[in-house]
Amino acid sequence: MGQTIDGKAVAAVVRAEVRERVVRLAARGIVPGLAAVLVGDDPASLVYVGNKEKACEQVGIRSLRHRLPASTSETELVALVRRLGHDADVHGMLVQLPLPAGFSAERVVEALAPAKDVDGFHPINMGLLTLGNPRFVPCTPLGVMRLIEREEIEVQGRHAVVVGRSSIVGKPMALLLLQRGATVTICNSRTPDLGAMTSQADILVVAAGRPRLVTARMVKPGAVVIDVGITRLADGKLAGDVDFQSVLGTASCITPVPGGVGPMTIAMLLENTVMSAERTSAGRGSP
């Protein structure tokens, strides 16, 4: 049986470290502030933003929610994002995605101040990551790398396969693994004979958004399996992109859903926010 990687436990350690850094900043009169912009009433987005606010409160970060109706124009949204970029009380900022129909997520993300873009989605931050000199790394792949580090999993010289090509997870995940010395293959749910690719992986990261896509026969014995996906099924239960029960007997270690990568995503958002506040206090917070 493989070992289950406890993302909740690792996230708790990260949050404790963030809390200590917030205390040190407070001693200098600085309270890190995270502004979250939410447009519309998408239920999942409301839950996500609420969870981020609770996490901020627990570590001493000031949470600044800006909730806008779906009738808000894109011009109004962009103006708010740019205004927050100049607000000295805001050290980190994000726009909750997806946006309602009719908005250009690309235009809105480009309006973010790169030095406060704690989600790491701005083109400048993506470019810096590609160059191997990141300022902010997208929180989910950053969280995956932290789990790998905490579990002391060797990356250099290993074959890593990433299933998923999104700019939020798949692409930055592949870059981080590549920069750590892995040989990286990027696949997606439409890759012909996906199992032939995934079964070669020493480290398999699945972020395809298709529940239980990867089964035991698609996993190399002894592989490290990181499941980024999360879907609520018709019966109300949550499922990842990996068939956890079957793969548990094949993998050397595997993240569960829930309780694996999910807690790490918010933990890394907190870490990015406090890091931004530290940079600002050190005079390195230029846009």
Side-chain angles (χ1 to χ4, degrees), residues 163-236:
V163 182
R165 56 186 175 182
S166 75
S167 296
I168 295 174
V169 181
K171 291 175 185 176
M173 187 77 255
L175 286 168
L176 291 172
L177 289 164
L178 185 65
Q179 290 164 11
R180 287 286 297 276
T183 298
V184 181
T185 300
I186 305 176
C187 304
N188 58 73
S189 60
R190 295 179 177 82
T191 297
D193 197 359
L194 179 62
M197 306 301 295
T198 58
S199 61
Q200 299 177 40
D202 300 308
I203 300 171
L204 176 61
V205 182
V206 190
R210 291 183 55 182
R212 298 172 183 162
L213 172 68
V214 173
T215 59
R217 66 177 182 81
M218 301 168 67
V219 176
K220 179 180 179 179
V224 174
V225 179
I226 307 293
D227 189 352
V228 179
I230 184 165
T231 302
R232 188 169 295 280
L233 304 177
D235 61 5

